[in-house]
Amino acid sequence: MEKLFIKSYKKYGYLWIYKNEIVSDIEKLDPGSLAKIYEQKTKKFIGVGYINPKSTIAVRLLSFKNEEINIDFLRNRIKKALEYRENILGLKDSYRVIYSESDFLPGLIVDKYSNCIVIQVLTAGIENFKDEIIKVIDEIFDPKIIVLRNDSQSRLKEGLKIERKIVKGDLKELPVITEIDMKFKVDPIHGQKTGFFLDQRENRVFLRNLINAGQGVDLFCYTGAWGLHLAKTGATVIGIDSSEYAIKLARENAELNNLTERCSFVKADVFDFLRWEIKKDKKYDFVIADPPAFVKSKEEKSDAIEGYITLNSLLLKLLKKDGILATSSCSHHISDEDFFEIIKEAFRRSKKYGKILYQGTQSRDHPILTTMPETKYLKCLIIKLFD
C-alpha cells in the first residue's frame, strides 16, 4: 500500500482530498490503488483511501483507522449500513443499502428492490473491489437478481467503461416493490437512476397524507409514484413525462394498483404541456413537479436557477387560489437557500403568495453525513397558496 503525504488535514471526518492538497507525487500511481495518508508536517496518520491521479478529488478515504481494505472490511461496512436501514429505519422491502460517502464507501451505490439488488460502481477504487462487493451482497441478501448499473458518466472520468448487465438471475419479470400499500414495477436496466426514485419516499408520504381529493397533475412523473399515491387516497391525477417507456410503466403501475379510473398518463414535454394548459386557462387543485437535475456544474448554476424560476412560475399559473404546490430540486449545486430564493422569486413574478407546509430532503436511507455537506442534494417544498 502506498504512503502519501498531504499538506494538512483540517476538515475532520471529510472523505475527499483534492489533488492540490497532496505533497507526494501520485502521477504514476494506478487509478484505484490504495494508500495510507499522512500529514506532512506532523507525520500524523489520517486514514486509508484510494487514489486517482486523473481526478480533481485525488483521494477518497475509506477509513480513519490504520486497517486493511479487504473483503472482511467491505462485509462489515455493508452489514452496518444494513443494520441502520432495517433496525433503525424499519425498512425491509426496498431501500438504498449503500449511499456512497454517507456509508463510508465512497463511489458505491447499492439499492434493494424487493428480491433484486442493483449495484452502481462510480470510481476506479471501488471497481477494484467489484467482485468482492458482489460476493458479499449475494452472501448477505441472497437476492434472486443482481444487476450492475454502471452507466454513470462519472465512470468515464475515472477511466472506466460504461456497462449495464445482470450478474445473477434474470429480468423476465420486473421486480415489484411495496411502498406503504402501493405496488410499483421497477426496471433496473432501462429505468432512470437505478430504476426508481427511493429518495422521494418520505416526501411522497407527507403529500399523500395531505391530499385525499381534487384534481391535479404530476409532472416529470416517471413511473407514476407521486400521482398514484394521491389517486389511492381519492384524488384524480394526470401524469406527464417525455419518456414513452416511463409512461408505459406508469400505466402498468396504475393497473397493478387498480387505479386506472383515477390516474391517467400522457407522453409530452412538460414545458409544452404547461403552456398548453395555461393557454386554456386550466386550473388544478394540486401540482407536483419532480424534475431531473437542471445543473451538473457550478458554471451552469445561474442558468439553472433561471430555469427553476421559469418552471415554478408556470406551475403557479396552473393552481387554483387555494391550491397546493409540491416542487423539488435534486441539483446538488442548488442549496436549500438557493431553492427557497427560487421559489420566492417565482411567487413574486406570479404575484401570488403561499405558506410552506413542509420542507423535505432525501429519505433517511440516503443519509446526510454531518462532515460532508456534499451528501445532501434533494430539496422538496410543499406550499399552499392563499388569497
Side-chain angles (χ1 to χ4, degrees):
M1 195 180 294
E2 298 290 337
K3 193 173 183 178
L4 297 185
F5 290 92
I6 63 173
K7 294 173 185 176
S8 64
Y9 183 73
K10 296 178 180 178
K11 294 182 178 180
Y12 177 80
Y14 197 72
L15 302 184
W16 294 351
I17 296 173
Y18 291 90
K19 201 169 185 178
N20 61 5
E21 298 175 298
I22 298 174
V23 178
S24 304
D25 182 10
I26 64 169
E27 292 303 322
K28 293 182 181 179
L29 298 179
D30 293 331
S33 56
L34 293 170
K36 293 182 179 181
I37 314 301
Y38 295 84
E39 203 170 51
Q40 183 186 33
K41 188 175 181 180
T42 64
K43 302 300 185 287
K44 179 185 175 183
F45 173 77
I46 303 301
V48 180
Y50 59 79
I51 312 155
N52 193 337
K54 299 177 181 179
S55 175
T56 304
I57 304 169
V59 175
R60 297 174 195 258
L61 293 170
L62 292 162
S63 177
F64 296 106
K65 297 177 182 178
N66 195 344
E67 61 182 320
E68 290 296 316
I69 308 299
N70 52 30
I71 193 167
D72 292 328
F73 170 87
L74 295 168
R75 185 181 292 110
N76 183 50
R77 279 277 194 267
I78 293 169
K79 282 184 174 179
K80 281 186 176 180
L82 174 61
E83 180 183 1
Y84 167 70
R85 271 72 176 180
E86 293 200 340
N87 296 350
I88 297 177
L89 302 184
L91 298 170
K92 300 292 183 184
D93 180 75
S94 303
Y95 50 87
R96 175 148 290 183
V97 181
I98 300 291
Y99 176 42
S100 200
E101 280 79 5
S102 288
D103 289 298
F104 297 97
L105 286 171
L108 178 64
I109 300 291
V110 180
D111 285 336
K112 180 180 184 295
Y113 296 120
S114 187
N115 60 4
C116 174
I117 298 285
V118 184
I119 299 170
Q120 198 167 46
V121 175
L122 303 173
T123 60
I126 294 297
E127 181 77 15
N128 287 345
F129 286 100
K130 182 175 68 177
D131 292 341
E132 289 89 340
I133 289 166
I134 293 170
K135 182 178 180 180
V136 170
I137 289 292
D138 197 22
E139 170 192 307
I140 293 173
F141 293 94
D142 189 26
K144 289 184 179 179
I145 308 160
I146 299 177
V147 174
L148 281 181
R149 183 66 189 263
N150 294 337
D151 59 349
S152 169
Q153 292 302 303
S154 64
R155 284 178 61 87
L156 299 177
K157 296 177 183 177
E158 291 278 321
L160 304 173
K161 67 178 183 179
I162 299 294
E163 62 176 359
R164 300 184 195 185
K165 65 179 181 179
I166 301 168
V167 295
K168 181 183 179 180
D170 61 63
L171 285 171
K172 292 176 182 175
E173 291 186 9
L174 294 179
V176 175
I177 67 170
T178 301
E179 190 171 272
I180 311 180
D181 54 356
M182 303 292 294
K183 304 281 186 188
F184 297 103
K185 287 185 179 181
V186 176
D187 189 338
I189 286 286
H190 302 106
Q192 295 177 25
K193 295 181 77 173
T194 62
F196 193 75
F197 292 100
L198 294 165
D199 54 2
Q200 288 277 21
R201 180 196 303 108
E202 292 164 19
N203 303 327
R204 284 192 290 264
V205 170
F206 183 92
L207 189 64
R208 170 178 165 144
N209 291 333
L210 186 67
I211 294 174
N212 57 15
Q215 184 182 31
V217 288
D218 178 8
L219 304 168
F220 310 97
C221 70
Y222 186 41
T223 58
W226 284 90
L228 286 167
H229 270 293
L230 300 189
K232 182 74 173 181
T233 61
T236 302
V237 190
I238 304 169
I240 306 296
D241 201 282
S242 61
S243 166
E244 190 168 341
Y245 184 63
I247 291 296
K248 174 181 175 293
L249 275 184
R251 288 173 179 152
E252 290 177 12
N253 285 332
E255 291 175 10
L256 196 60
N257 292 281
N258 298 313
L259 292 170
T260 53
E261 291 185 5
R262 289 207 293 268
C263 208
S264 59
F265 297 93
V266 177
K267 178 188 177 298
D269 176 84
V270 165
F271 286 93
D272 287 344
F273 173 82
L274 287 168
R275 292 184 177 103
W276 295 333
E277 296 294 275
I278 291 166
K279 190 174 182 180
K280 292 186 290 183
D281 199 30
K282 182 70 176 177
K283 301 291 182 184
Y284 291 95
D285 297 294
F286 59 88
V287 174
I288 305 157
D290 184 14
F294 282 9
V295 53
K296 301 291 185 181
S297 66
K298 289 181 181 179
E299 292 73 26
E300 300 172 349
K301 184 174 176 177
S302 61
D303 288 343
I305 286 174
E306 187 56 39
Y308 280 118
I309 293 170
T310 300
L311 171 63
N312 284 280
S313 298
L314 292 171
L315 301 180
L316 290 171
K317 290 180 181 180
L318 276 192
L319 279 169
K320 293 179 180 178
K321 289 181 180 180
D322 59 349
I324 290 175
L325 170 67
T327 182
S328 296
S329 166
C330 61
S331 298
H332 164 69
H333 293 288
I334 301 294
S335 68
D336 284 353
E337 294 76 15
D338 291 332
F339 195 54
F340 182 80
E341 290 299 319
I342 285 165
I343 300 306
K344 187 173 79 173
E345 177 62 15
F347 270 84
R348 188 193 68 77
R349 292 186 189 181
S350 304
K351 297 182 180 179
K352 298 178 186 289
Y353 67 93
K355 294 182 181 179
I356 295 174
L357 305 179
Y358 172 85
Q359 183 171 2
T361 184
Q362 63 239 40
S363 299
R364 288 169 295 160
D365 53 342
H366 296 61
I368 299 163
L369 194 61
T370 55
T371 53
M372 289 213 61
E374 293 85 353
T375 57
K376 185 182 190 309
Y377 65 94
L378 185 62
K379 286 76 55 183
C380 177
L381 291 175
I382 297 177
I383 305 167
K384 184 172 178 63
L385 273 65
F386 284 88
D387 292 338

